[in-house]
Amino acid sequence: MIPAVFFDPQYRGVLDKLSYGNKGKRQIKRAKLEQMNDETIISFIKKIDNVLMETGHLFLWIDKFHLCQGIQPWINETGLVIVDMIVWDKVRMGMGYRTRKQTEYLLILQKTTH
């Protein structure tokens, strides 16, 4: 059992919402990364839950789209609960659906005790 895991999924939720796909000059580098659908992310998170010790932490990098839409389906069948969040200014503009932000988000989840 391990005390902490950092997970930065290559989710495609915001790309699907924006209909960017993996095309265009802005997305060339992203297109080289294998995108993860919700089922793949859920599978990873369940495996992380299995190897985390009780009271261990998952540090999950997340974008604004998933932060607002919620990640509950990703953690439904695990012992993980959201306990905190870190936000910081990355000093450059990112993607956005209605507005563009220059912040990044790190959700902190903790494995509950039985």
Side-chain angles (χ1 to χ4, degrees), residues 3-55:
V5 173
F6 288 83
F7 183 39
D8 186 7
Q10 296 303 311
Y11 36 73
R12 58 173 302 112
V14 74
L15 295 177
D16 290 342
K17 180 74 173 174
L18 294 171
S19 299
Y20 285 166
N22 281 328
K23 301 175 251 174
K25 291 181 180 179
R26 292 181 55 213
Q27 300 300 321
I28 287 174
K29 289 182 182 178
R30 185 180 293 272
K32 293 179 182 178
L33 298 172
E34 184 175 337
Q35 301 297 299
M36 300 171 82
N37 60 23
D38 279 354
E39 292 78 23
T40 302
I41 293 170
I42 289 167
S43 176
F44 268 83
I45 291 177
K46 284 181 180 179
K47 290 174 183 169
I48 291 168
D49 182 51
N50 286 337
V51 299
L52 275 178
M53 59 191 271
E54 286 190 3
T55 71

Side-chain angles (χ1 to χ4, degrees), residues 51-106:
V51 299
L52 275 178
M53 59 191 271
E54 286 190 3
T55 71
H57 290 87
L58 165 59
F59 297 90
L60 177 65
W61 266 272
I62 194 153
D63 66 359
K64 180 182 66 164
F65 175 78
H66 289 94
L67 180 65
C68 293
Q69 294 296 315
I71 62 150
Q72 193 59 47
W74 295 359
I75 62 174
N76 275 340
E77 297 178 21
T78 71
L80 298 167
V81 295
I82 298 170
V83 295
D84 207 345
M85 182 174 78
I86 298 172
V87 180
W88 66 93
D89 183 347
K90 63 182 183 178
V91 191
R92 62 183 177 87
M93 205 57 73
M95 292 189 307
Y97 180 54
R98 289 190 171 80
T99 61
R100 296 180 64 179
K101 304 286 186 220
Q102 62 183 41
T103 52
E104 291 189 345
Y105 310 95
L106 181 67

